[in-house]
Amino acid sequence: VHGRPARMEGTITSTIGRHPVDRKRMAANPPRGKAAVTHYRIEEALGSVTLLRLRIETGRTHQIRVHLAHIGHPVVGDQLYGDHTRDRRLPGCPARQMLHAAVLELDHPGDGRRMTFMRAPPPDMSDFLASLR
């Protein structure tokens, strides 16, 4: 994300729903939204960018992107909710949003078994982070 949250870890709680003017976007705390909760923890500060570990309790459309933009720390490379001016100032500005699901856990819909899927960051994300270190 751009910038660095004031606390090492925290919880972002709001409602999320359609943006009142731009129907392609979602918004935090719109007139008619659904509850959304995102937990974050700082993993690494990299100058003007911070690597966060996130855990979501709810699964609202664009939840992570909306919540991080809402607290003033948009996802790097996010064309919809991001900060294009700050993106352009970064070395090797990414061509996409720097958002990656490292671990996904869900209950199997048929038998209820807990399933866990893990994946390392893709090369473009690893390269971008390395360029900031």
Side-chain angles (χ1 to χ4, degrees):
V1 297
H2 285 288
R4 183 176 179 183
R7 296 181 9 215
M8 287 297 291
E9 58 185 55
T11 300
I12 307 163
T13 304
S14 75
T15 58
I16 292 180
R18 288 275 168 215
H19 190 280
V21 177
D22 185 347
R23 301 297 294 162
K24 293 179 185 177
R25 294 171 51 115
M26 303 302 280
N29 299 317
R32 287 185 303 239
K34 295 181 180 179
V37 179
T38 304
H39 304 280
Y40 72 86
R41 183 177 77 228
I42 294 176
E43 289 289 313
E44 187 175 5
L46 301 162
S48 65
V49 171
T50 302
L51 179 62
L52 298 179
R53 179 170 302 275
L54 304 163
R55 185 176 59 81
I56 59 173
E57 283 189 26
T58 51
R60 306 294 174 219
T61 302
H62 300 179
Q63 177 175 326
I64 291 170
R65 298 162 64 198
V66 169
H67 268 171
L68 293 172
H70 178 65
I71 65 167
H73 300 289
V75 173
V76 171
D78 188 337
Q79 296 297 309
L80 191 58
Y81 302 101
D83 186 328
H84 312 301
T85 302
R86 289 199 283 186
D87 282 344
R88 285 190 292 271
R89 288 189 212 134
L90 295 171
C93 180
R96 67 171 183 90
Q97 58 188 330
M98 292 288 101
L99 187 59
H100 171 67
V103 179
L104 291 174
E105 292 184 328
L106 55 107
D107 296 330
H108 189 280
D111 62 18
R113 282 181 299 125
R114 189 68 169 173
M115 300 172 63
T116 302
F117 303 90
M118 295 189 285
R119 187 72 173 197
D124 66 337
M125 184 176 233
S126 296
D127 292 347
F128 174 66
L129 292 170
S131 76
L132 299 173
R133 290 187 173 109

